[in-house]
Amino acid sequence: MSMQNLIHESSKMHTIQSPNNTFNSGTDNSSNATSGSSTSNLYLTAKGEEQSITDSVYYNEFQRQIIPEEDDLKDDIIQTHMPESADHEMRRIRALQPNLQGKPTSGKYSLKDFQILRTLGTGSFGRVHLIRSNHNGRFYALKILKKRLIVKLKQVEHTNDERLMLSLVSHPFIVRMWGTFQDSVHLYMVMDYVEGGELFSLLRKSQRFPNPVAKFYAAEVCLSLEYLHSKDIIYRDLKPENILLDKNGHIKLTDFGFAKYVPDVTYTLCGTPDYIAPEVVSTKPYNKSVDWWSFGILIYEMLAGHTPFYDSNTVKTYENILNAKLKFPAFFHPDVRDLLSQLITKDLSNRLGNLQNGSEDVKRHPWFSEVIWDKLLSKNIETPYEPPIQQGQGDTSQFDRYPEEDETYGVVCEDPYSNLFTNF
Ligand SMILES: Nc1ncnc2c1ncn2[C@@H]1O[C@H](COP(=O)(O)OP(=O)(O)OP(=O)(O)O)[C@@H](O)[C@H]1O
């Protein structure tokens, strides 16, 4: 069976790091996605080139496993000791970077402000719903997380970081968070509704993207990484599942669950196995350069339809990341081979993006030669694919269907975790 088939036939998997640092995987068939519907033709007209991609390829959704790093807290102290609080973290960040001002996010909204509509996506700690504002009638996305699960899976600090990082960023290619709130059981994050669905779905429907199409998405991702790194934020979970498409087909990076303010180095293992850099696998100290490795894997996957080190066995994937030689399909252009060899390299002193000129080296690489970066940043360039949606209508046609949960939101009861998420 080809790797393509393996990817297409895999069922949905959720993996989280167990408390003793081993890698568990489980299969959850409850969230089976519906078959993909036909994709419109895909064009990149910026250079006058026109490319169409395979239409009407039916697929089973495959969600890769994620490996969250554990918070530095032991179970027995979690009830009594707060992790480094977001407040403290915010003060530390402001002291280091006075220009970085987080937007206040708490207390602005409550459940009464919205109608909760269908589920758009599910994650390890909850789900994301389409919602409609009772005030302006507009649609938003509401990420709802279960406090109990966050604590159980030792993700308290990450969750506070996610809120903090999203409150600090403002960029055309990054999802905007409007505010957060909480009740006794759940945390809520109000975000822009990004209507065009996941790049992941488009890629699986298309099998792979033509060179100019992959280049367009890669270039927008490159600008988002450049921005985050300029704020000393590492993203750490780059993959097509976390790249959404807006109504015009521009990207929006979402899911800041592993994003972290790291001015120097950090150590902990997290991410999605296929995308994790070797220095993370081998638990060495690492920095922003891990995002450039993942960036290389993303470009590879967009062009090939699969990642370079994939194996159904996660341990084997890690072995491949550490030891396997990077091989390219025959149809890869020499320029992209050259770029990927410089991104997907274990040698940190040679990894593009991690050198003296930072992201400039990536942007100046010949594979990106036709990209006019300023125009791209101002979205003054035609996108290769416009999602077929009715704008502003709460159209969810680009999202898979998920079984709705019988969960009650807004419950008032005793909250054993009230001291852990004070900034929500
Ligand atoms: N702003 C948004 N607009 C539209 N859909 C969204 C938005 N944010 C998230 N989604 C959908 O919900 C899915 C899950 O969101 P997200 O990845 O943030 O959750 P998560 O709990 O962190 O997931 P995971 O555990 O897989 O990391 C996304 O893949 C996407 O399909």
Side-chain angles (χ1 to χ4, degrees), residues 14 63-64 66 120-128 141 143 145 162 175-176 191-195 197-198 237 239 241-242 244 254-258 399 402:
H14 296 289
Q63 183 178 315
R64 279 175 284 242
I66 56 164
L120 297 167
T122 57
S124 317
F125 318 107
R127 51 183 59 215
V128 176
K143 184 162 176 170
L145 306 164
E162 178 173 11
V175 74
R176 177 171 179 165
M191 295 175 287
D192 269 338
Y193 172 42
V194 189
E195 302 162 291
E198 295 176 15
D237 202 14
K239 55 179 175 176
E241 292 90 321
N242 288 341
L244 300 177
T254 189
D255 193 356
F256 274 57
F258 291 148
F399 288 85
Y402 294 86

Side-chain angles (χ1 to χ4, degrees), residues 197-209:
E198 295 176 15
L199 186 68
F200 176 84
S201 309
L202 184 65
L203 181 56
R204 287 293 175 267
K205 284 175 195 165
S206 316
Q207 293 192 319
R208 52 185 191 236
F209 294 151

Side-chain angles (χ1 to χ4, degrees), residues 140-191:
Y140 298 89
L142 186 64
K143 184 162 176 170
I144 306 182
L145 306 164
K146 292 179 184 149
K147 292 183 193 178
R148 184 181 48 78
L149 269 182
I150 296 170
V151 172
K152 190 171 163 204
L153 299 173
K154 303 184 191 304
Q155 298 299 304
V156 173
E157 193 168 349
H158 273 164
T159 307
N160 282 318
D161 268 349
E162 178 173 11
R163 187 209 63 81
L164 177 64
M165 294 304 126
L166 274 172
S167 75
L168 288 168
V169 296
S170 169
H171 190 271
F173 302 139
I174 296 177
V175 74
R176 177 171 179 165
M177 186 181 73
W178 290 92
T180 57
F181 56 95
Q182 61 178 301
D183 58 30
S184 314
V185 180
H186 296 101
L187 302 173
Y188 302 88
M189 299 168 75
V190 183
M191 295 175 287

